[in-house]
Amino acid sequence: MIDSGNYYKQVERYAEQIRKTSSADEIIRILDIVLSMTKGLKLSDEIFTAQEQVKCAEQKIKSLKNELEQLRELVQIDQMTGAFNRRGLDDIFKREAARADRNAQSLGVVLIDLDNFKQINDTLGHSYGDNILINLVTIAKKTLRPSDTVARFGGEEFVILLPDVELEDALTIVHRLQNNLIKNSLLQIDERSISITFSAGVALRSFGEHQHSVINRADRALYQAKRTGKNRIIPALI
């Protein structure tokens, strides 16, 4: 319990901290503190009649916090496909890597690249290419486990994080995604029916391994998949 005098002094101090930061996470943390203080405010006789104003302030703080949480989600999402973007991937990787190290679990990292995507864009137009990217993410979300994450890495490249999975299981999951994509995406180019396919490199993160390192290993495996015929899934070397 705090009295009103100390309450307003502390609120002003936290307001100054909010003005100095651009981090949504930090602002949300500060709002949580202010909300806790507001709930614990000791109502003296002087401010007893302002009880409704205190409740109103509490609701405004909650509303602002919710808006900031929604904004934080938006800046981590690729707006076209609905997959996470690079910033979202970075945050999720840190969290999943820390959990994997803490629980002595594996973390599968998959780098996929749509095959012949430039030809599709050049032949059918970028709008059609955009729809293919959106379709891939839609199928991935239906195919992957609830704990898995799909993120757009750039262009037609995507990263998939598979927590607590062994290499054989990771390969099985990616093969399932590959088959589902082929079954659910068929297009016509030069009077030929062509299925949309992707090539992929699959790496298992080692204990303490940095994001850049494990993605590089998956990328080398992806390059091998492309070089040896495309529409392939290659496990990465340790």
Side-chain angles (χ1 to χ4, degrees):
M1 301 285 283
I2 61 173
D3 59 38
S4 59
N6 285 330
Y7 172 79
Y8 290 116
K9 288 179 182 178
Q10 291 187 47
V11 166
E12 179 55 36
R13 180 165 58 86
Y14 286 123
E16 181 64 22
Q17 291 181 22
I18 289 175
R19 285 191 286 269
K20 291 180 178 179
T21 182
S22 59
S23 168
D25 287 336
E26 178 63 12
I27 293 173
I28 290 171
R29 186 190 69 81
I30 294 171
L31 287 175
D32 276 333
I33 296 173
V34 175
L35 183 59
S36 177
M37 287 168 46
T38 303
K39 289 180 178 178
L41 182 63
K42 181 179 180 180
L43 295 177
S44 64
D45 292 338
E46 177 186 356
I47 64 168
F48 184 78
T49 56
Q51 195 168 15
E52 288 303 314
Q53 292 179 329
V54 173
K55 290 181 180 179
C56 182
E58 184 177 324
Q59 289 301 318
K60 287 182 179 180
I61 293 171
K62 287 181 178 179
S63 177
L64 178 57
K65 179 186 172 185
N66 289 337
E67 289 178 13
L68 283 168
E69 287 176 338
Q70 292 174 10
L71 177 61
R72 179 178 59 184
E73 290 179 3
L74 285 176
V75 299
Q76 292 184 337
I77 299 294
D78 176 61
Q79 294 302 295
M80 185 182 75
T81 65
F84 286 97
N85 57 23
R86 291 285 287 269
R87 179 174 179 175
L89 173 64
D90 291 345
D91 287 346
I92 295 171
F93 184 93
K94 289 177 184 176
R95 184 172 67 244
E96 293 296 343
R99 178 183 297 145
D101 287 347
R102 185 170 60 249
N103 299 326
Q105 295 174 339
S106 58
L107 176 61
V109 178
V110 184
L111 184 61
I112 71 175
D113 184 275
L114 284 164
D115 296 325
N116 307 310
F117 190 72
K118 184 179 184 304
Q119 178 190 358
I120 294 170
N121 265 341
D122 292 345
T123 304
L124 300 176
H126 289 278
S127 178
Y128 200 99
D130 290 347
N131 287 333
I132 289 174
L133 298 177
I134 294 169
N135 187 49
L136 169 61
V137 173
T138 299
I139 293 171
K141 288 181 177 180
K142 292 178 179 178
T143 303
L144 299 174
R145 305 169 304 169
S147 59
D148 300 335
T149 299
V150 57
R152 190 177 182 191
F153 198 60
E156 66 273 21
E157 279 192 329
F158 293 82
V159 168
I160 297 174
L161 300 182
L162 305 172
D164 193 19
V165 68
E166 297 306 318
L167 183 59
E168 288 303 317
D169 293 330
L171 292 171
T172 297
I173 292 171
V174 182
H175 275 295
R176 187 183 305 130
L177 173 59
Q178 191 179 52
N179 291 334
N180 287 345
L181 180 65
I182 291 171
K183 287 189 297 185
N184 291 281
S185 56
L186 194 69
L187 67 149
Q188 299 289 323
I189 295 182
D190 298 331
E191 300 181 352
R192 293 179 299 155
S193 294
I194 298 177
S195 293
I196 303 299
T197 64
F198 64 75
S199 301
V202 181
L204 276 192
R205 175 182 174 272
S206 302
F207 180 87
E209 186 175 12
H210 191 272
Q211 177 182 348
H212 181 71
S213 170
V214 66
I215 289 180
N216 273 351
R217 290 197 293 112
D219 188 42
R220 289 194 291 271
L222 169 62
Y223 175 77
Q224 183 181 355
K226 290 284 190 181
R227 188 169 54 86
T228 55
K230 301 180 181 179
N231 192 25
R232 296 171 183 267
I233 301 168
I234 301 292
L237 298 175
I238 301 292

PDB file of all heavy atoms in Angstrom, residues 115-147:
ATOM      1  N   ASP A 115      11.629 -23.455 -55.170  1.00  0.00           N
ATOM      2  CA  ASP A 115      12.348 -23.749 -56.411  1.00  0.00           C
ATOM      3  C   ASP A 115      11.767 -22.940 -57.576  1.00  0.00           C
ATOM      4  O   ASP A 115      10.547 -22.780 -57.687  1.00  0.00           O
ATOM      5  CB  ASP A 115      12.245 -25.244 -56.733  1.00  0.00           C
ATOM      6  CG  ASP A 115      12.916 -26.111 -55.687  1.00  0.00           C
ATOM      7  OD1 ASP A 115      13.947 -25.680 -55.133  1.00  0.00           O
ATOM      8  OD2 ASP A 115      12.409 -27.220 -55.416  1.00  0.00           O
ATOM      9  N   ASN A 116      12.669 -22.444 -58.432  1.00  0.00           N
ATOM     10  CA  ASN A 116      12.282 -21.770 -59.682  1.00  0.00           C
ATOM     11  C   ASN A 116      11.349 -20.585 -59.451  1.00  0.00           C
ATOM     12  O   ASN A 116      10.512 -20.259 -60.302  1.00  0.00           O
ATOM     13  CB  ASN A 116      11.600 -22.770 -60.646  1.00  0.00           C
ATOM     14  CG  ASN A 116      12.445 -24.000 -60.882  1.00  0.00           C
ATOM     15  OD1 ASN A 116      13.634 -23.912 -61.190  1.00  0.00           O
ATOM     16  ND2 ASN A 116      11.842 -25.167 -60.724  1.00  0.00           N
ATOM     17  N   PHE A 117      11.519 -19.908 -58.318  1.00  0.00           N
ATOM     18  CA  PHE A 117      10.586 -18.839 -57.988  1.00  0.00           C
ATOM     19  C   PHE A 117      10.743 -17.641 -58.922  1.00  0.00           C
ATOM     20  O   PHE A 117       9.748 -16.995 -59.285  1.00  0.00           O
ATOM     21  CB  PHE A 117      10.795 -18.406 -56.533  1.00  0.00           C
ATOM     22  CG  PHE A 117       9.725 -17.479 -56.026  1.00  0.00           C
ATOM     23  CD1 PHE A 117       8.453 -17.939 -55.763  1.00  0.00           C
ATOM     24  CD2 PHE A 117      10.002 -16.127 -55.819  1.00  0.00           C
ATOM     25  CE1 PHE A 117       7.462 -17.081 -55.292  1.00  0.00           C
ATOM     26  CE2 PHE A 117       9.021 -15.274 -55.351  1.00  0.00           C
ATOM     27  CZ  PHE A 117       7.751 -15.747 -55.092  1.00  0.00           C
ATOM     28  N   LYS A 118      11.951 -17.343 -59.342  1.00  0.00           N
ATOM     29  CA  LYS A 118      12.160 -16.222 -60.270  1.00  0.00           C
ATOM     30  C   LYS A 118      11.428 -16.486 -61.582  1.00  0.00           C
ATOM     31  O   LYS A 118      10.815 -15.580 -62.157  1.00  0.00           O
ATOM     32  CB  LYS A 118      13.649 -16.012 -60.522  1.00  0.00           C
ATOM     33  CG  LYS A 118      13.955 -14.797 -61.410  1.00  0.00           C
ATOM     34  CD  LYS A 118      15.438 -14.611 -61.600  1.00  0.00           C
ATOM     35  CE  LYS A 118      15.737 -13.339 -62.392  1.00  0.00           C
ATOM     36  NZ  LYS A 118      15.061 -13.306 -63.705  1.00  0.00           N
ATOM     37  N   GLN A 119      11.487 -17.730 -62.069  1.00  0.00           N
ATOM     38  CA  GLN A 119      10.794 -18.071 -63.310  1.00  0.00           C
ATOM     39  C   GLN A 119       9.286 -17.877 -63.156  1.00  0.00           C
ATOM     40  O   GLN A 119       8.614 -17.372 -64.061  1.00  0.00           O
ATOM     41  CB  GLN A 119      11.089 -19.519 -63.686  1.00  0.00           C
ATOM     42  CG  GLN A 119      10.357 -19.984 -64.944  1.00  0.00           C
ATOM     43  CD  GLN A 119      10.478 -21.491 -65.174  1.00  0.00           C
ATOM     44  OE1 GLN A 119      11.139 -22.182 -64.403  1.00  0.00           O
ATOM     45  NE2 GLN A 119       9.835 -21.988 -66.214  1.00  0.00           N
ATOM     46  N   ILE A 120       8.755 -18.264 -61.997  1.00  0.00           N
ATOM     47  CA  ILE A 120       7.323 -18.100 -61.745  1.00  0.00           C
ATOM     48  C   ILE A 120       6.961 -16.618 -61.738  1.00  0.00           C
ATOM     49  O   ILE A 120       5.971 -16.197 -62.359  1.00  0.00           O
ATOM     50  CB  ILE A 120       6.946 -18.757 -60.408  1.00  0.00           C
ATOM     51  CG1 ILE A 120       7.129 -20.273 -60.494  1.00  0.00           C
ATOM     52  CG2 ILE A 120       5.505 -18.413 -60.023  1.00  0.00           C
ATOM     53  CD1 ILE A 120       7.022 -20.986 -59.160  1.00  0.00           C
ATOM     54  N   ASN A 121       7.759 -15.806 -61.056  1.00  0.00           N
ATOM     55  CA  ASN A 121       7.501 -14.368 -61.016  1.00  0.00           C
ATOM     56  C   ASN A 121       7.571 -13.751 -62.399  1.00  0.00           C
ATOM     57  O   ASN A 121       6.731 -12.940 -62.791  1.00  0.00           O
ATOM     58  CB  ASN A 121       8.513 -13.674 -60.095  1.00  0.00           C
ATOM     59  CG  ASN A 121       7.989 -13.485 -58.686  1.00  0.00           C
ATOM     60  OD1 ASN A 121       6.790 -13.543 -58.446  1.00  0.00           O
ATOM     61  ND2 ASN A 121       8.883 -13.258 -57.750  1.00  0.00           N
ATOM     62  N   ASP A 122       8.611 -14.125 -63.161  1.00  0.00           N
ATOM     63  CA  ASP A 122       8.802 -13.559 -64.504  1.00  0.00           C
ATOM     64  C   ASP A 122       7.699 -13.985 -65.454  1.00  0.00           C
ATOM     65  O   ASP A 122       7.291 -13.221 -66.340  1.00  0.00           O
ATOM     66  CB  ASP A 122      10.160 -13.979 -65.071  1.00  0.00           C
ATOM     67  CG  ASP A 122      11.324 -13.350 -64.319  1.00  0.00           C
ATOM     68  OD1 ASP A 122      11.075 -12.386 -63.564  1.00  0.00           O
ATOM     69  OD2 ASP A 122      12.463 -13.833 -64.473  1.00  0.00           O
ATOM     70  N   THR A 123       7.193 -15.208 -65.291  1.00  0.00           N
ATOM     71  CA  THR A 123       6.192 -15.741 -66.222  1.00  0.00           C
ATOM     72  C   THR A 123       4.773 -15.319 -65.859  1.00  0.00           C
ATOM     73  O   THR A 123       3.988 -14.924 -66.730  1.00  0.00           O
ATOM     74  CB  THR A 123       6.261 -17.283 -66.258  1.00  0.00           C
ATOM     75  OG1 THR A 123       7.596 -17.679 -66.594  1.00  0.00           O
ATOM     76  CG2 THR A 123       5.290 -17.847 -67.285  1.00  0.00           C
ATOM     77  N   LEU A 124       4.445 -15.386 -64.579  1.00  0.00           N
ATOM     78  CA  LEU A 124       3.067 -15.160 -64.146  1.00  0.00           C
ATOM     79  C   LEU A 124       2.859 -13.837 -63.415  1.00  0.00           C
ATOM     80  O   LEU A 124       1.720 -13.441 -63.166  1.00  0.00           O
ATOM     81  CB  LEU A 124       2.614 -16.315 -63.245  1.00  0.00           C
ATOM     82  CG  LEU A 124       2.644 -17.704 -63.900  1.00  0.00           C
ATOM     83  CD1 LEU A 124       2.268 -18.778 -62.890  1.00  0.00           C
ATOM     84  CD2 LEU A 124       1.689 -17.759 -65.091  1.00  0.00           C
ATOM     85  N   GLY A 125       3.940 -13.164 -63.059  1.00  0.00           N
ATOM     86  CA  GLY A 125       3.820 -11.872 -62.387  1.00  0.00           C
ATOM     87  C   GLY A 125       4.020 -11.979 -60.885  1.00  0.00           C
ATOM     88  O   GLY A 125       3.837 -13.033 -60.280  1.00  0.00           O
ATOM     89  N   HIS A 126       4.398 -10.852 -60.291  1.00  0.00           N
ATOM     90  CA  HIS A 126       4.724 -10.832 -58.861  1.00  0.00           C
ATOM     91  C   HIS A 126       3.501 -11.081 -57.993  1.00  0.00           C
ATOM     92  O   HIS A 126       3.630 -11.637 -56.890  1.00  0.00           O
ATOM     93  CB  HIS A 126       5.375  -9.496 -58.491  1.00  0.00           C
ATOM     94  CG  HIS A 126       6.760  -9.354 -59.042  1.00  0.00           C
ATOM     95  ND1 HIS A 126       7.863  -9.911 -58.427  1.00  0.00           N
ATOM     96  CD2 HIS A 126       7.231  -8.739 -60.156  1.00  0.00           C
ATOM     97  CE1 HIS A 126       8.957  -9.639 -59.132  1.00  0.00           C
ATOM     98  NE2 HIS A 126       8.598  -8.930 -60.185  1.00  0.00           N
ATOM     99  N   SER A 127       2.329 -10.685 -58.449  1.00  0.00           N
ATOM    100  CA  SER A 127       1.128 -10.923 -57.658  1.00  0.00           C
ATOM    101  C   SER A 127       0.897 -12.416 -57.479  1.00  0.00           C
ATOM    102  O   SER A 127       0.543 -12.874 -56.387  1.00  0.00           O
ATOM    103  CB  SER A 127      -0.082 -10.273 -58.338  1.00  0.00           C
ATOM    104  OG  SER A 127      -1.265 -10.525 -57.608  1.00  0.00           O
ATOM    105  N   TYR A 128       1.106 -13.173 -58.545  1.00  0.00           N
ATOM    106  CA  TYR A 128       0.958 -14.623 -58.444  1.00  0.00           C
ATOM    107  C   TYR A 128       2.032 -15.192 -57.523  1.00  0.00           C
ATOM    108  O   TYR A 128       1.768 -16.090 -56.719  1.00  0.00           O
ATOM    109  CB  TYR A 128       1.057 -15.258 -59.837  1.00  0.00           C
ATOM    110  CG  TYR A 128       0.452 -16.637 -59.916  1.00  0.00           C
ATOM    111  CD1 TYR A 128      -0.831 -16.836 -60.413  1.00  0.00           C
ATOM    112  CD2 TYR A 128       1.159 -17.749 -59.477  1.00  0.00           C
ATOM    113  CE1 TYR A 128      -1.400 -18.095 -60.471  1.00  0.00           C
ATOM    114  CE2 TYR A 128       0.601 -19.013 -59.520  1.00  0.00           C
ATOM    115  CZ  TYR A 128      -0.670 -19.183 -60.029  1.00  0.00           C
ATOM    116  OH  TYR A 128      -1.223 -20.435 -60.067  1.00  0.00           O
ATOM    117  N   GLY A 129       3.256 -14.654 -57.649  1.00  0.00           N
ATOM    118  CA  GLY A 129       4.331 -15.105 -56.770  1.00  0.00           C
ATOM    119  C   GLY A 129       4.018 -14.835 -55.310  1.00  0.00           C
ATOM    120  O   GLY A 129       4.292 -15.668 -54.436  1.00  0.00           O
ATOM    121  N   ASP A 130       3.414 -13.665 -55.028  1.00  0.00           N
ATOM    122  CA  ASP A 130       3.028 -13.350 -53.654  1.00  0.00           C
ATOM    123  C   ASP A 130       2.035 -14.372 -53.127  1.00  0.00           C
ATOM    124  O   ASP A 130       2.117 -14.810 -51.971  1.00  0.00           O
ATOM    125  CB  ASP A 130       2.412 -11.951 -53.583  1.00  0.00           C
ATOM    126  CG  ASP A 130       3.436 -10.843 -53.818  1.00  0.00           C
ATOM    127  OD1 ASP A 130       4.645 -11.139 -53.795  1.00  0.00           O
ATOM    128  OD2 ASP A 130       3.017  -9.694 -54.030  1.00  0.00           O
ATOM    129  N   ASN A 131       1.067 -14.762 -53.962  1.00  0.00           N
ATOM    130  CA  ASN A 131       0.067 -15.745 -53.542  1.00  0.00           C
ATOM    131  C   ASN A 131       0.710 -17.096 -53.231  1.00  0.00           C
ATOM    132  O   ASN A 131       0.254 -17.822 -52.337  1.00  0.00           O
ATOM    133  CB  ASN A 131      -0.999 -15.915 -54.625  1.00  0.00           C
ATOM    134  CG  ASN A 131      -1.932 -14.726 -54.698  1.00  0.00           C
ATOM    135  OD1 ASN A 131      -2.146 -14.031 -53.710  1.00  0.00           O
ATOM    136  ND2 ASN A 131      -2.488 -14.478 -55.881  1.00  0.00           N
ATOM    137  N   ILE A 132       1.766 -17.437 -53.950  1.00  0.00           N
ATOM    138  CA  ILE A 132       2.465 -18.694 -53.683  1.00  0.00           C
ATOM    139  C   ILE A 132       3.135 -18.642 -52.313  1.00  0.00           C
ATOM    140  O   ILE A 132       3.097 -19.620 -51.547  1.00  0.00           O
ATOM    141  CB  ILE A 132       3.501 -18.973 -54.792  1.00  0.00           C
ATOM    142  CG1 ILE A 132       2.784 -19.339 -56.093  1.00  0.00           C
ATOM    143  CG2 ILE A 132       4.468 -20.070 -54.382  1.00  0.00           C
ATOM    144  CD1 ILE A 132       3.700 -19.492 -57.286  1.00  0.00           C
ATOM    145  N   LEU A 133       3.739 -17.508 -51.979  1.00  0.00           N
ATOM    146  CA  LEU A 133       4.371 -17.353 -50.667  1.00  0.00           C
ATOM    147  C   LEU A 133       3.331 -17.451 -49.554  1.00  0.00           C
ATOM    148  O   LEU A 133       3.554 -18.111 -48.526  1.00  0.00           O
ATOM    149  CB  LEU A 133       5.103 -16.011 -50.589  1.00  0.00           C
ATOM    150  CG  LEU A 133       6.255 -15.791 -51.577  1.00  0.00           C
ATOM    151  CD1 LEU A 133       6.818 -14.387 -51.413  1.00  0.00           C
ATOM    152  CD2 LEU A 133       7.350 -16.819 -51.387  1.00  0.00           C
ATOM    153  N   ILE A 134       2.197 -16.796 -49.759  1.00  0.00           N
ATOM    154  CA  ILE A 134       1.124 -16.839 -48.762  1.00  0.00           C
ATOM    155  C   ILE A 134       0.618 -18.266 -48.602  1.00  0.00           C
ATOM    156  O   ILE A 134       0.381 -18.741 -47.481  1.00  0.00           O
ATOM    157  CB  ILE A 134      -0.027 -15.898 -49.181  1.00  0.00           C
ATOM    158  CG1 ILE A 134       0.448 -14.438 -49.159  1.00  0.00           C
ATOM    159  CG2 ILE A 134      -1.243 -16.086 -48.276  1.00  0.00           C
ATOM    160  CD1 ILE A 134      -0.515 -13.461 -49.807  1.00  0.00           C
ATOM    161  N   ASN A 135       0.461 -18.974 -49.730  1.00  0.00           N
ATOM    162  CA  ASN A 135      -0.029 -20.357 -49.699  1.00  0.00           C
ATOM    163  C   ASN A 135       0.949 -21.270 -48.955  1.00  0.00           C
ATOM    164  O   ASN A 135       0.532 -22.149 -48.181  1.00  0.00           O
ATOM    165  CB  ASN A 135      -0.239 -20.865 -51.127  1.00  0.00           C
ATOM    166  CG  ASN A 135      -0.901 -22.227 -51.162  1.00  0.00           C
ATOM    167  OD1 ASN A 135      -1.911 -22.460 -50.514  1.00  0.00           O
ATOM    168  ND2 ASN A 135      -0.338 -23.137 -51.945  1.00  0.00           N
ATOM    169  N   LEU A 136       2.239 -21.050 -49.172  1.00  0.00           N
ATOM    170  CA  LEU A 136       3.242 -21.855 -48.469  1.00  0.00           C
ATOM    171  C   LEU A 136       3.106 -21.702 -46.959  1.00  0.00           C
ATOM    172  O   LEU A 136       3.126 -22.693 -46.213  1.00  0.00           O
ATOM    173  CB  LEU A 136       4.646 -21.447 -48.914  1.00  0.00           C
ATOM    174  CG  LEU A 136       5.808 -22.009 -48.080  1.00  0.00           C
ATOM    175  CD1 LEU A 136       5.827 -23.527 -48.134  1.00  0.00           C
ATOM    176  CD2 LEU A 136       7.143 -21.441 -48.543  1.00  0.00           C
ATOM    177  N   VAL A 137       2.980 -20.470 -46.494  1.00  0.00           N
ATOM    178  CA  VAL A 137       2.865 -20.224 -45.055  1.00  0.00           C
ATOM    179  C   VAL A 137       1.574 -20.826 -44.508  1.00  0.00           C
ATOM    180  O   VAL A 137       1.560 -21.418 -43.426  1.00  0.00           O
ATOM    181  CB  VAL A 137       2.938 -18.709 -44.759  1.00  0.00           C
ATOM    182  CG1 VAL A 137       2.640 -18.430 -43.291  1.00  0.00           C
ATOM    183  CG2 VAL A 137       4.317 -18.168 -45.131  1.00  0.00           C
ATOM    184  N   THR A 138       0.491 -20.705 -45.267  1.00  0.00           N
ATOM    185  CA  THR A 138      -0.793 -21.278 -44.839  1.00  0.00           C
ATOM    186  C   THR A 138      -0.682 -22.790 -44.671  1.00  0.00           C
ATOM    187  O   THR A 138      -1.126 -23.354 -43.654  1.00  0.00           O
ATOM    188  CB  THR A 138      -1.891 -20.951 -45.867  1.00  0.00           C
ATOM    189  OG1 THR A 138      -2.046 -19.529 -45.969  1.00  0.00           O
ATOM    190  CG2 THR A 138      -3.222 -21.559 -45.440  1.00  0.00           C
ATOM    191  N   ILE A 139      -0.078 -23.456 -45.648  1.00  0.00           N
ATOM    192  CA  ILE A 139       0.085 -24.911 -45.579  1.00  0.00           C
ATOM    193  C   ILE A 139       1.046 -25.286 -44.453  1.00  0.00           C
ATOM    194  O   ILE A 139       0.830 -26.280 -43.742  1.00  0.00           O
ATOM    195  CB  ILE A 139       0.577 -25.452 -46.939  1.00  0.00           C
ATOM    196  CG1 ILE A 139      -0.508 -25.260 -47.995  1.00  0.00           C
ATOM    197  CG2 ILE A 139       0.967 -26.930 -46.836  1.00  0.00           C
ATOM    198  CD1 ILE A 139      -0.055 -25.568 -49.408  1.00  0.00           C
ATOM    199  N   ALA A 140       2.103 -24.492 -44.268  1.00  0.00           N
ATOM    200  CA  ALA A 140       3.070 -24.774 -43.205  1.00  0.00           C
ATOM    201  C   ALA A 140       2.391 -24.718 -41.837  1.00  0.00           C
ATOM    202  O   ALA A 140       2.606 -25.588 -40.984  1.00  0.00           O
ATOM    203  CB  ALA A 140       4.226 -23.790 -43.262  1.00  0.00           C
ATOM    204  N   LYS A 141       1.560 -23.703 -41.606  1.00  0.00           N
ATOM    205  CA  LYS A 141       0.891 -23.574 -40.309  1.00  0.00           C
ATOM    206  C   LYS A 141      -0.051 -24.742 -40.049  1.00  0.00           C
ATOM    207  O   LYS A 141      -0.244 -25.152 -38.900  1.00  0.00           O
ATOM    208  CB  LYS A 141       0.134 -22.243 -40.251  1.00  0.00           C
ATOM    209  CG  LYS A 141       1.045 -21.025 -40.137  1.00  0.00           C
ATOM    210  CD  LYS A 141       0.243 -19.738 -40.061  1.00  0.00           C
ATOM    211  CE  LYS A 141       1.156 -18.533 -39.869  1.00  0.00           C
ATOM    212  NZ  LYS A 141       0.405 -17.250 -39.788  1.00  0.00           N
ATOM    213  N   LYS A 142      -0.641 -25.285 -41.114  1.00  0.00           N
ATOM    214  CA  LYS A 142      -1.537 -26.438 -40.959  1.00  0.00           C
ATOM    215  C   LYS A 142      -0.757 -27.735 -40.755  1.00  0.00           C
ATOM    216  O   LYS A 142      -1.245 -28.667 -40.112  1.00  0.00           O
ATOM    217  CB  LYS A 142      -2.442 -26.572 -42.183  1.00  0.00           C
ATOM    218  CG  LYS A 142      -3.465 -25.456 -42.338  1.00  0.00           C
ATOM    219  CD  LYS A 142      -4.290 -25.650 -43.594  1.00  0.00           C
ATOM    220  CE  LYS A 142      -5.335 -24.548 -43.752  1.00  0.00           C
ATOM    221  NZ  LYS A 142      -6.127 -24.688 -44.988  1.00  0.00           N
ATOM    222  N   THR A 143       0.446 -27.792 -41.303  1.00  0.00           N
ATOM    223  CA  THR A 143       1.237 -29.021 -41.280  1.00  0.00           C
ATOM    224  C   THR A 143       2.099 -29.139 -40.026  1.00  0.00           C
ATOM    225  O   THR A 143       2.241 -30.223 -39.463  1.00  0.00           O
ATOM    226  CB  THR A 143       2.143 -29.087 -42.526  1.00  0.00           C
ATOM    227  OG1 THR A 143       1.342 -29.007 -43.709  1.00  0.00           O
ATOM    228  CG2 THR A 143       2.949 -30.378 -42.558  1.00  0.00           C
ATOM    229  N   LEU A 144       2.678 -28.030 -39.608  1.00  0.00           N
ATOM    230  CA  LEU A 144       3.625 -28.051 -38.496  1.00  0.00           C
ATOM    231  C   LEU A 144       2.921 -28.261 -37.164  1.00  0.00           C
ATOM    232  O   LEU A 144       1.710 -28.077 -37.036  1.00  0.00           O
ATOM    233  CB  LEU A 144       4.421 -26.750 -38.467  1.00  0.00           C
ATOM    234  CG  LEU A 144       5.273 -26.448 -39.703  1.00  0.00           C
ATOM    235  CD1 LEU A 144       5.889 -25.059 -39.600  1.00  0.00           C
ATOM    236  CD2 LEU A 144       6.353 -27.496 -39.898  1.00  0.00           C
ATOM    237  N   ARG A 145       3.690 -28.620 -36.157  1.00  0.00           N
ATOM    238  CA  ARG A 145       3.173 -28.795 -34.809  1.00  0.00           C
ATOM    239  C   ARG A 145       2.898 -27.420 -34.179  1.00  0.00           C
ATOM    240  O   ARG A 145       3.483 -26.420 -34.608  1.00  0.00           O
ATOM    241  CB  ARG A 145       4.184 -29.557 -33.957  1.00  0.00           C
ATOM    242  CG  ARG A 145       4.612 -30.903 -34.529  1.00  0.00           C
ATOM    243  CD  ARG A 145       5.813 -31.463 -33.776  1.00  0.00           C
ATOM    244  NE  ARG A 145       6.931 -30.527 -33.780  1.00  0.00           N
ATOM    245  CZ  ARG A 145       8.021 -30.657 -33.037  1.00  0.00           C
ATOM    246  NH1 ARG A 145       8.144 -31.703 -32.227  1.00  0.00           N
ATOM    247  NH2 ARG A 145       8.986 -29.769 -33.090  1.00  0.00           N
ATOM    248  N   PRO A 146       2.022 -27.360 -33.179  1.00  0.00           N
ATOM    249  CA  PRO A 146       1.735 -26.067 -32.535  1.00  0.00           C
ATOM    250  C   PRO A 146       2.973 -25.387 -31.963  1.00  0.00           C
ATOM    251  O   PRO A 146       3.026 -24.154 -31.877  1.00  0.00           O
ATOM    252  CB  PRO A 146       0.747 -26.448 -31.412  1.00  0.00           C
ATOM    253  CG  PRO A 146       0.092 -27.698 -31.892  1.00  0.00           C
ATOM    254  CD  PRO A 146       1.154 -28.444 -32.668  1.00  0.00           C
ATOM    255  N   SER A 147       3.966 -26.166 -31.574  1.00  0.00           N
ATOM    256  CA  SER A 147       5.179 -25.593 -30.973  1.00  0.00           C
ATOM    257  C   SER A 147       6.168 -25.080 -32.012  1.00  0.00           C
ATOM    258  O   SER A 147       7.152 -24.418 -31.660  1.00  0.00           O
ATOM    259  CB  SER A 147       5.876 -26.643 -30.101  1.00  0.00           C
ATOM    260  OG  SER A 147       6.225 -27.788 -30.877  1.00  0.00           O
TER     261      SER A 147
END
